[in-house]
Amino acid sequence: METQEKTPKSMTNEELIGACVTLDREQKKSRAMLNGYKAELQARGLALMEDHNVKYVKFYGGEGSAAITDSMSLDILNPDKLKELVGEGVYNMKVREETKTTYKYDGKFEKALKAIFTGDYTFETTLDEFLEEMSIKPDAKQKKLLMKKLKGEFEKDKDTLISVLVPEGQEAPDFDVELWYIYRIKNGELIKAFLPEEMLDSTIEGIRKSILVETKTSITLDYDTEKEE
């Protein structure tokens, strides 16, 4: 004869406390293990993001998937100083001040400020010069197309390089080094588009002291919640 499982109402106080303690211990142990697994996935995701200059990675498994997101938030520490450095015209056009004293940034201007803070830019070479030095050197027509289509975004730029430079059916190189340089060059172009040429280095240093960029990494699990072990 099967023993019927007790319901909470039929259990004594001692039994209820014992069950709660057991489940709480199991939950804490499971939570610690889950946090450890998530931390390892985040570390692997961040390593890939750094290599590919992206802020999102998704891993897939037999039971579901895990999305790793690395987001950066921009905060202006000294708005008056930033306005002085970038110029009142650029600031007023690209930054909107709200009544609760928060700031809404034009996307490209925010990207330029974040690149300044993180140092992810270069003025050492232009995109035109860099394309001439690539291992797979584009012809004049290909170069013109690349100059127009490359944006400094890893996934899109990789697809562009492959479609323009790699003949159909031929194995494509990973282009990781080239994409890293393109990302930094395009950020440098963006910075120069907003800042005056005169005293550029000192302006950049002043901006870096006027803003703060904080990074937050998150992980999202996606799986069939109806499926049981």
Side-chain angles (χ1 to χ4, degrees):
M1 182 175 178
E2 292 185 7
T3 303
Q4 189 174 6
E5 187 176 344
K6 285 188 174 183
T7 64
K9 286 188 178 296
S10 67
M11 296 168 70
T12 65
N13 289 345
E14 185 178 357
E15 288 172 330
L16 285 169
I17 292 169
C20 287
V21 169
T22 298
L23 289 171
D24 191 63
R25 283 174 175 161
E26 291 175 355
Q27 188 179 53
K28 287 178 179 177
K29 182 179 179 181
S30 296
R31 177 60 58 184
M33 292 176 65
L34 177 61
N35 288 339
Y37 296 151
K38 283 184 174 181
E40 179 57 29
L41 281 169
Q42 286 177 311
R44 295 180 187 187
L46 284 172
L48 278 176
M49 290 181 209
E50 289 176 5
D51 287 342
H52 294 168
N53 300 313
V54 293
K55 299 300 177 186
Y56 176 86
V57 169
K58 195 165 188 177
F59 297 126
Y60 295 91
E63 293 295 323
S65 63
I68 319 297
T69 305
D70 194 35
S71 58
M72 292 193 297
S73 61
L74 174 65
D75 185 22
I76 296 180
L77 302 177
N78 191 334
D80 292 333
K81 185 65 174 177
L82 181 62
K83 183 184 293 187
E84 176 189 332
L85 290 163
V86 304
E88 189 171 348
V90 169
Y91 184 91
N92 290 340
M93 186 166 53
K94 298 300 181 181
V95 180
R96 186 173 79 251
E97 298 183 10
E98 296 187 344
T99 53
K100 59 179 181 179
T101 322
T102 59
Y103 301 91
K104 297 293 183 181
Y105 316 96
D106 171 86
K108 289 183 178 180
F109 185 59
E110 181 175 4
K111 185 177 180 182
L113 292 178
K114 286 178 177 177
I116 286 173
F117 187 86
T118 59
D120 287 334
Y121 64 90
T122 183
F123 302 135
E124 293 178 2
T125 185
T126 65
L127 184 58
D128 185 286
E129 293 168 341
F130 179 74
L131 292 176
E132 287 292 329
E133 299 170 359
M134 285 182 59
S135 56
I136 303 179
K137 187 175 179 179
D139 59 31
K141 185 178 179 181
Q142 291 172 328
K143 183 178 177 182
K144 184 177 180 180
L145 186 59
L146 290 173
M147 291 290 294
K148 182 179 179 181
K149 295 189 69 174
L150 292 172
K151 304 297 183 184
E153 300 174 15
F154 181 88
E155 295 296 342
K156 291 181 180 178
D157 286 352
K158 185 173 184 177
D159 290 341
T160 296
L161 289 177
I162 292 173
S163 65
V164 174
L165 297 178
V166 183
E168 188 174 351
Q170 184 175 316
E171 185 176 354
D174 57 31
F175 286 122
D176 282 1
V177 173
E178 289 86 351
L179 289 162
W180 181 76
Y181 274 106
I182 291 167
Y183 165 73
R184 289 167 57 83
I185 290 169
K186 295 302 290 185
N187 280 347
E189 289 179 1
L190 202 56
I191 291 168
K192 283 189 172 182
F194 288 117
L195 301 185
E197 282 284 340
E198 188 178 355
M199 305 283 289
L200 182 61
D201 289 341
S202 61
T203 300
I204 286 174
E205 188 58 33
I207 290 173
R208 192 175 284 124
K209 293 176 180 178
S210 302
I211 62 177
L212 176 67
V213 174
E214 294 182 313
T215 303
K216 179 182 178 182
T217 306
S218 62
I219 179 170
T220 304
L221 296 177
D222 184 24
Y223 59 93
D224 185 358
T225 56
E226 301 297 321
K227 183 179 178 181
E228 297 182 0
E229 288 290 334

